[in-house]
């Protein structure tokens, strides 16, 4: 049941090559759509039926997003793929562009056909150079084979796709900051509205999706939206790549059906390492709330399942922590990340992330005060919902959830000046 | 219109308004830092968060467009909570060094903190420190105080035309900075001081000298360009401490140029003349007013008794209408017709041909509504910094097409549709080409006089000239307009052009063929006013140029420094040296007045009442902001007493208002202005297409901070102005031809006067032209646009 959509070439030799991709019917769907002039509304309808939701973390229904793009527009429309995965514990998209790049290219070409985009960019995270090089190679192959460029398949449909290597800023994964960065400006989010669908790259209508979302498109249009939906559960169609990291025997990417019970995913990853006990899980990347073992073990891995259990699916970056983990020290690391990656544009995030980090650091340094816990909660709440983009909320979430679920550990740390777990 | 409700108050606002627009309209105060009505919306400070019905998160009022039926709560629990939390975030890293901060007392952060801040800080961690930046002699930085609102960044990019500041670094490390090792060079840079809501950017000349609450605020009018910007002179202990803009949307909006803002430093210069001085046996001696005035009256009387026309009266175009009018009246009383204020003008052939007083031809805001503009001979940013901004606005916001004909390719910091950079003589030819293209385009050649039509026959129209004509007529670069709002304007450099008459005639003809507004961006604060007050030669009398070419026995100089303010510095200096008697009414002691016999200390614009008339014909009177320094007297009073002493009639004025009344004949000034302003010529002046000479030609530009005596004495401005130092700038072709290299010392020679100047490479200068700006080192050279020779100094 694994690796059915984005990783469907993974079991074959040389999985990232054009040859391999074509051997499983790659680019046939694009060719059919373009040469048979399938209607855009029909494609969007299939995507809607598929239940595909944005795989970058926000989970916005992809079909609905596509329908926001203006159909009639006098000028260039753009397509952007967001491969800027920079959150700790997130490493799924890099494997798509490395092991199945052509499916992404085909997915983007289909999207371009559907949305009338002439030019596309794939914005690749700055810290993954090798995968970027692989993707450039795949683009060359696709161009040479006539799947990208002018008048594809002898029709008047043309689509150029370029890879853009970023510089490693987490904020550039925010779609409007990513657009600014593509334009050559400092990556910082724009105020919305207007949304990219009306004012995107160079002020033109632009559709931005995650790598995994685009890579799911060829499957959806090859087998029908319903087939994709049937792989998953209600409200969460299809498969999902979970990037499992942390204290497991076999960390890695697992493409499984949506709605898989967490224990099953955990056993796929070989279970907790060294025979230890599960303590907590961050199910969707650090911007999602941490869950204590008890609540995650009963949860299913899909949008609704995790939401009900008090967290969210995010980008599916599952960080497993065993019972040797000090939650205070972990929070310090996470807070540092958001402090370091805040773009500094708007006040609550610029000032607040530094405040949070410094207070948590002070606790770890043994100089915490009991009132710090309320202060942290309060400052986090003051950041939440008051910033231009979601980075502010992302920075607040771990602080709020860590203190909520592991308050005694924090109190112990403050009282004793050392960790309850490690004793150091 | 949309009906919405703010704090229970119903209000109707236009489509596209934001919440903050609507709230401002009905006077509901929403705190804000990054928002500024003249700048793009950044929504980054988050101070203006308000609660909106049906939204679970607070929304920024500055960036949220209103929609029908929206209910907004600016003082609800959730709104106040959001605002207070943002205030807390803004303050945690702010140094709170108000007692030593120059912004104290006029600080937006301080003011809003009173309403939204907490008494005690919850922040006990270390505060951020940001290194200060040196961005030049005008703006001082204390970057630790910065709250990253980016108003300064947006101002320089959007209004100034060049992004000279930016926010670099992420998160807490984000800081406002200029380019590496660069200062902010915008001629509008001082406005970022006003815009900065905290004490991060303050005025370098003003800082630490006074507290805002100690200052008395006096309205006045800016005195260094013809815009008529409204300013507020702030005064402490009878000293001008600083100058700020007064908001006047139709003139200066809420900005002023750095020249108008920092020129006041010149008022407090040590060179101020504070007592009358008489030269005796070659030595300056202080005198009392009575004996000085009697001495002057006697000397003038002696000359006038023989022939009044032996006296020349030169009035600086920065003088008030009252000063100009009384000088003229004095001259007429002494039977002299030789009065002029057009000191840098070289071509007076149009005198007698004007139907009225030449002016801008439209109002200032009209400029930014224009679709097609042709600017002839203007270094816009130097001459009229805020007009350049208006045009920039037209180009950026309204997709206007601006074309330029000039000898200098200086960047106006806006996209220029078409430009023709040519020699000064070439400009005539270029205008002829545009005229020819326009006349065939409009099929209106019959409207031109036969002589001109004949002349046009021999003219070959270049593609560029054709494009400019097309653009003006409506057939644009990107899109066409059936009835464009077009304008054709002459700048200062055109007015200084040795063949101004031809430029004027041709420009007028081009404008009338395409129905464009035609006007003159006149120089100095009061050129139009002095023209209207008729500080001009009477028929047949000598003008500013001939008065010096044919030296007089006596001169009266009103606010004039001959070498700096006249077209031909050498000639002016020589004329003064040979004269029997020179009296200078001047606020400054000046080496340029060494050949004078009497210096009478008169008040600069901040110390006298008076009237300026802007280039758009706006008559603006002002009162003195401070008492005259020392024994200085207002110029109009000095002239009045001189009139009395000379026994002339009609000099019994008891106020400057009375003088003004007489100028306007007791009528409403606006009515007189309406009648008198007129750019039309009675008939076209003959144009001849002379063969262009092969000699090197000087381009005697007046640098931004050399425009008048006050500006020249403002030290901060002198430090800021790159071009205030002597140089001979030329393009690479000419450098190669002359075998010169950047930095070489050359002997620059004009009319037997030579100076040594360093060579600068400047490819913005046209072939065979040398840009030698007017400054202390070059003041004694000759004609601003005369022939010049350049040779390597040994």
């Amino acid at each position: 049941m694994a690796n059915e959509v984005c990783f469907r070439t993974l079991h074959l030799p040389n999985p990232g090559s054009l040859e391999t991709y074509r051997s499983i019917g790659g680019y046939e769907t694009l060719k059919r759509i373009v040469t048979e002039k399938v209607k855009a509304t029909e494609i969007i309808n299939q995507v809607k039926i598929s239940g595909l939701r944005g795989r970058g973390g926000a989970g916005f229904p992809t079909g609905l997003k596509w329908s926001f793009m203006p159909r009639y527009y006098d000028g260039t429309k753009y397509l952007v793929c967001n491969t800027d995965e920079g959150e700790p514990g997130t490493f799924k998209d890099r494997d798509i562009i490395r092991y199945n790049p052509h499916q992404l290219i085909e997915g983007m070409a289909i999207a371009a056909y559907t949305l009338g985009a002439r030019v596309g960019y794939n914005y690749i995270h700055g810290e993954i150079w090798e995968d970027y090089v692989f993707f450039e190679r795949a683009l060359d192959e696709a161009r040479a084979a006539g799947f990208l460029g002018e008048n594809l398949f002898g029709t008047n449909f043309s689509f150029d796709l370029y890879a853009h290597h970023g510089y490693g800023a987490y904020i550039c994964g925010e779609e409007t900051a990513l657009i600014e960065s593509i334009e050559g400006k400092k990556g910082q989010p724009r105020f919305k509205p207007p949304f990219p669908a009306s004012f995107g790259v160079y002020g033109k209508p632009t559709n931005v999706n995650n790598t995994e979302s685009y890579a799911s498109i060829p499957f959806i249009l090859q087998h029908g939206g319903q087939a994709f939906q049937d792989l998953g559960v209600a409200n969460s169609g299809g498969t999902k790549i979970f990037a499992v990291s942390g204290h497991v025997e076999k960390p890695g990417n697992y493409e499984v059906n949506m709605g898989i019970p967490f224990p099953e995913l955990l056993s796929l990853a070989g279970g907790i390492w060294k025979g230890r006990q599960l303590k907590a899980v961050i199910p969707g990347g650090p911007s999602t709330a941490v869950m204590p073992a008890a609540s995650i073990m009963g949860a299913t891995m899909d949008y609704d399942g995790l939401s009900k259990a008090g967290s969210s699916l995010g980008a599916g970056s599952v960080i497993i922590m065993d019972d040797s983990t000090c939650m205070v020290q972990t929070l310090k690391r996470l807070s540092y990340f958001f402090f370091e990656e805040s773009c500094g544009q708007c006040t609550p995030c610029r000032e607040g992330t530094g405040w949070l980090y410094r207070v948590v650091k002070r606790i770890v340094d043994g100089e915490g005060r009991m009132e710090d816990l309320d202060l942290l909660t309060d400052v986090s709440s003051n950041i939440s919902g008051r910033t231009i983009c979601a980075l502010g909320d992302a920075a607040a979430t771990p602080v709020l959830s860590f203190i909520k679920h592991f308050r005694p550990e924090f109190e112990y740390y403050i009282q004793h000046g050392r960790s309850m777990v490690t004793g150091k | 219109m949309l009906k919405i409700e703010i704090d229970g108050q119903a209000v109707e606002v236009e489509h596209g308004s934001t919440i903050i627009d609507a709230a401002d309209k009905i006077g509901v105060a929403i705190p804000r830092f990054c928002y500024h009505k003249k700048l793009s919306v950044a929504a980054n400070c988050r101070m203006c968060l308000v609660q909106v019905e049906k939204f679970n998160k607070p929304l920024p009022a500055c960036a949220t467009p209103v929609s029908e039926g929206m209910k907004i709560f600016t003082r609800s629990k959730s709104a106040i909570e959001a605002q207070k939390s943002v205030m807390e975030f803004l303050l945690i890293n702010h140094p709170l060094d108000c007692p030593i901060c120059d912004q104290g007392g006029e600080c937006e952060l301080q003011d809003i903190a009173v309403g939204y801040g907490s008494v005690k800080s919850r922040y006990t961690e270390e505060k951020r420190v940001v290194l200060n930046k040196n961005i030049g002699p005008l703006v001082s930085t204390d970057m630790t105080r910065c709250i990253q609102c980016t108003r300064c960044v947006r101002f320089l990019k959007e209004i100034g035309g060049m992004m000279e500041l930016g926010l670099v670094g992420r998160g807490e490390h984000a800081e406002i900075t200029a380019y590496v090792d660069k200062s902010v060079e915008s001629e509008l840079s001082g406005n970022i001081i006003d815009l900065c809501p905290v004490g991060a950017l303050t005025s370098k000349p003003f800082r630490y000298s006074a507290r805002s609450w100690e200052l008395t605020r006096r309205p006045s009018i800016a005195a260094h360009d013809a815009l008529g910007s409204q300013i507020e002179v702030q005064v402490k202990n009878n000293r001008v401490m600083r100058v700020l803009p007064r908001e006047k949307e139709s003139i200066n909006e809420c900005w002023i140029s750095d020249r108008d803002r920092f020129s006041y430093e010149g008022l407090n210069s040590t060179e101020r003349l504070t007592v009358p001085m008489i030269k005796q046996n070659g030595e300056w001696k202080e005198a009392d007013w009575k004996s000085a005035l009697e001495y002057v009256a006697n000397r003038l009387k002696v000359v006038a008794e023989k022939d009044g026309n032996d006296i020349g009266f030169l009035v600086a175009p920065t003088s008030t209408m009252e000063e100009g009018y009384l000088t003229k009246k004095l001259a007429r009383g002494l039977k002299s017709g030789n009065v002029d204020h057009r000191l840098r003008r070289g071509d007076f052939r149009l005198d007698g041909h004007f139907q009225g007083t030449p002016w801008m031809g439209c109002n200032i805001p009209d400029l930014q509504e224009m679709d097609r503009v042709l600017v002839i001979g203007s270094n816009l940013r130097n001459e009229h910094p805020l007009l350049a901004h208006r045009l920039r606005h037209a180009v950026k916001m309204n997709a206007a097409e601006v074309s330029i004909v000039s000898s200098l390719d200086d960047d106006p910091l806006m996209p220029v549709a078409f430009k023709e950079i040519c020699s000064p003589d070439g400009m005539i030819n270029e205008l002829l080409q545009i005229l020819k293209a326009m006349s065939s385009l409009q099929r209106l050649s019959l409207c031109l006089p036969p002589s001109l039509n004949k002349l046009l026959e021999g003219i070959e129209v270049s593609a560029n000239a054709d494009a400019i004509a097309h653009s003006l007529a409506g057939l644009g670069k990107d899109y066409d307009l059936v009835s464009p709002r077009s304008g054709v304007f002459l700048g200062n450099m055109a007015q200084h052009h040795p063949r101004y008459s031809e430029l004027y005639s041709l420009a007028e003809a081009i404008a009338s063929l395409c129905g464009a507004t035609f006007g003159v961006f006149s120089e100095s604060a009061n050129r139009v006013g002095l023209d209207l007050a008729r500080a001009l030669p009477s028929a047949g009398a000598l003008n500013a140029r001939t008065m010096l070419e044919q030296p007089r026995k006596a001169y009266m100089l009103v606010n004039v420094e001959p070498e700096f303010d006249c077209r031909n510095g050498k000639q002016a200096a020589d004329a003064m040296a040979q004269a029997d008697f020179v009296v200078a009414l001047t606020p400054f002691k000046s080496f340029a007045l060494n050949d004078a016999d009497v210096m009478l200390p008169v008040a600069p614009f901040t110390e006298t009442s008076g009237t300026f008339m802007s280039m758009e014909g706006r008559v603006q009177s002002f009162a003195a902001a401070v008492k005259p320094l020392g024994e200085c007297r207002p110029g109009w009073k000095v002239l009045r007493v001189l009139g009395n002493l000379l026994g002339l009639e009609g000099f019994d004025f008891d106020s400057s208002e009375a003088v003004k009344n007489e100028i306007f004949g007791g009528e409403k000034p606006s009515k007189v202005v309406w009648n008198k302003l007129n750019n039309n010529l009675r008939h076209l002046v003959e144009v001849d297409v002379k063969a262009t000479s092969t000699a090197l030609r000087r381009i005697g530009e007046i640098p931004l901070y050399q425009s008048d005596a006050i500006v020249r004495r403002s030290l901060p401005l002198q430090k800021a102005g790159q071009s205030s130092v002597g140089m001979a700038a030329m393009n690479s072709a000419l450098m190669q031809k002359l075998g010169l290299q950047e930095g070489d010392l050359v002997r620059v020679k004009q009319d037997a006067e030579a100076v040594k100047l360093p060579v600068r490479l400047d490819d913005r200068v046209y072939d065979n032209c040398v840009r030698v700006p007017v400054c202390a080192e070059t003041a004694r050279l000759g004609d601003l646009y005369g022939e010049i020779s350049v040779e390597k100094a040994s």
Side-chain angles (χ1 to χ4, degrees), chain A residues 202-241:
Chain A
Y202 307 119
K204 309 284 189 203
T206 301
N207 182 69
V208 188
N209 281 130
N210 172 255
T211 318
E212 191 182 346
S213 307
Y214 279 129
S216 303
I217 296 295
F219 179 92
I220 291 168
L221 292 161
Q222 190 180 351
H223 302 288
Q226 195 57 47
F228 186 80
Q229 167 64 55
D230 290 347
L231 291 173
V233 293
N235 236 345
S236 304
T239 57
K240 175 83 192 82
I241 303 173

Side-chain angles (χ1 to χ4, degrees), chain A residues 168-171 185-186 188 191 193 339-355 358-359 362 369 372 374-375 378-380 382-388 393, chain B residues 41-47 49 57-58 60 63-65 78 81-83 85-86 88-90 92-93 122-126 128 146-149 157 167-174:
Chain A
Y170 172 56
I171 193 62
K185 299 174 190 155
K186 185 185 174 201
Q188 49 182 43
F191 180 77
F339 160 58
E340 184 59 37
E341 294 293 344
S342 165
C343 84
Q345 183 183 199
C346 68
T347 309
C349 176
R350 177 184 67 237
E351 307 293 342
T353 52
W355 195 354
R358 289 198 174 87
V359 174
R362 193 156 45 74
R369 299 184 281 260
D372 283 343
D374 289 339
L375 179 68
D378 205 31
V379 170
S380 303
N382 283 346
I383 301 173
S384 272
R386 289 170 189 171
T387 49
I388 290 177
D393 304 69
Chain B
V41 171
N44 62 28
C45 79
R46 317 307 282 176
M47 193 62 213
L49 290 173
K57 291 199 286 185
T64 309
S78 119
E81 224 173 69
Q83 291 159 3
S85 72
V86 173
E88 181 180 37
F89 283 131
L90 283 170
I92 61 169
N93 273 309
R122 296 194 287 172
Y123 186 75
T124 56
E125 321 309 317
E126 248 180 58
R128 170 176 64 220
C146 176
I147 57 168
Q148 285 87 8
C149 73
K157 185 175 161 200
L167 188 70
V168 300
R170 276 205 308 259
E172 252 189 44
H173 310 294

Side-chain angles (χ1 to χ4, degrees), chain B residues 219-357:
Chain B
S220 189
I221 302 299
H224 309 292
D225 63 35
L227 211 69
S229 297
Q230 302 199 340
I231 54 172
E232 184 170 277
V233 178
Q234 301 201 341
V235 174
K236 181 184 162 187
N237 298 336
N238 202 45
R239 187 183 161 100
V240 177
M241 301 306 291
R242 65 173 173 180
V243 168
L244 297 179
R246 274 187 293 150
E247 191 167 337
K248 181 73 182 168
E249 185 59 30
S250 55
I251 304 176
N252 50 307
E253 300 166 84
C254 49
W255 321 120
I256 49 173
S257 65
D258 287 357
R259 186 162 59 183
D260 289 334
R261 183 184 299 267
F262 296 108
S263 70
Y264 74 88
E265 285 280 309
L267 299 170
N268 305 326
S269 145
T270 51
E271 287 186 28
R272 276 298 296 275
L273 179 68
T274 52
V275 283
M277 310 265 281
I278 301 179
K279 201 192 270 170
Q280 288 172 337
N281 304 324
E283 293 227 356
W284 284 110
K285 296 267 164 59
E286 292 187 359
D288 60 77
W289 267 107
K290 188 165 178 291
S291 45
L293 284 169
E294 278 171 358
Y295 180 68
V296 171
N298 287 335
R299 293 291 298 265
L300 288 177
K301 211 183 276 176
V302 171
V303 184
E305 268 163 12
K306 274 195 182 157
D307 182 359
N309 279 324
D310 279 341
I311 315 177
F313 294 82
L314 294 171
V315 184
T318 49
S319 310
T320 62
M321 288 182 83
E322 289 80 356
E323 287 162 348
Y325 176 76
L326 289 180
T327 308
K328 180 207 79 170
K329 198 164 178 179
L330 198 73
R332 299 292 187 268
L334 292 170
K335 305 276 182 300
S336 170
N338 309 332
V339 185
D340 211 342
H341 66 277
R342 300 163 298 174
L343 308 182
R344 289 181 185 133
R345 190 73 65 82
D347 181 359
F348 294 87
R349 285 176 288 158
L350 287 177
D351 279 13
H353 294 277
F354 287 111
Q355 290 188 22
T357 293

Side-chain angles (χ1 to χ4, degrees), chain A residues 35-255:
Chain A
T35 51
E36 291 176 11
K37 299 201 188 319
V38 179
K39 280 194 178 144
T41 45
E42 202 171 298
I43 298 173
I44 293 179
N45 202 31
Q46 285 302 320
V47 178
K48 280 182 180 168
I49 291 171
S50 76
L52 176 63
R53 292 170 63 170
R55 298 293 193 236
F60 192 83
T62 306
L64 187 59
K65 193 182 222 180
W66 285 16
S67 65
F68 292 155
M69 277 286 273
R71 188 117 29 108
Y72 305 102
Y73 179 81
D74 188 16
T76 310
K77 290 189 270 187
Y78 290 91
L79 201 69
V80 171
C81 174
N82 186 345
T83 312
D84 192 32
E85 49 177 2
E87 202 159 278
T90 312
F91 47 82
K92 64 183 179 67
D93 295 338
R94 59 189 298 174
D95 276 1
I96 295 175
I97 61 171
R98 182 163 190 148
Y99 295 115
N100 198 4
H102 287 286
Q103 188 160 327
L104 171 63
I105 296 170
E106 185 181 9
M108 286 190 76
I110 293 171
Y113 169 84
T114 312
L115 303 173
R118 176 70 180 77
V119 179
Y121 297 100
N122 184 12
Y123 192 101
I124 298 172
H125 189 61
E127 286 151 341
I128 49 173
W129 177 254
E130 248 189 19
D131 310 273
Y132 160 73
V133 174
F134 277 118
F135 187 71
E136 285 279 20
R137 204 175 296 157
L139 283 177
D140 287 342
E141 282 179 333
R143 284 186 198 114
F147 299 130
L148 287 175
E150 300 271 327
N151 298 15
L152 299 178
F153 312 109
T155 67
N156 60 2
F157 169 64
S158 304
F159 178 60
D160 290 314
L161 178 58
Y162 305 96
H164 182 97
H165 192 245
Y167 226 81
Y170 172 56
I171 193 62
C172 289
E174 199 280 343
E175 59 178 7
T176 54
L178 183 151
I179 287 171
E180 289 277 299
S181 178
I182 285 180
E183 290 181 4
K185 299 174 190 155
K186 185 185 174 201
Q188 49 182 43
R190 294 175 180 169
F191 180 77
K192 286 156 285 184
F195 289 93
S198 54
F199 191 91
V201 178
Y202 307 119
K204 309 284 189 203
T206 301
N207 182 69
V208 188
N209 281 130
N210 172 255
T211 318
E212 191 182 346
S213 307
Y214 279 129
S216 303
I217 296 295
F219 179 92
I220 291 168
L221 292 161
Q222 190 180 351
H223 302 288
Q226 195 57 47
F228 186 80
Q229 167 64 55
D230 290 347
L231 291 173
V233 293
N235 236 345
S236 304
T239 57
K240 175 83 192 82
I241 303 173
F242 289 100
V244 184
S245 65
H247 301 150
V248 287
E249 289 291 351
K250 283 171 25 191
N253 282 319
Y254 296 90
E255 184 175 41

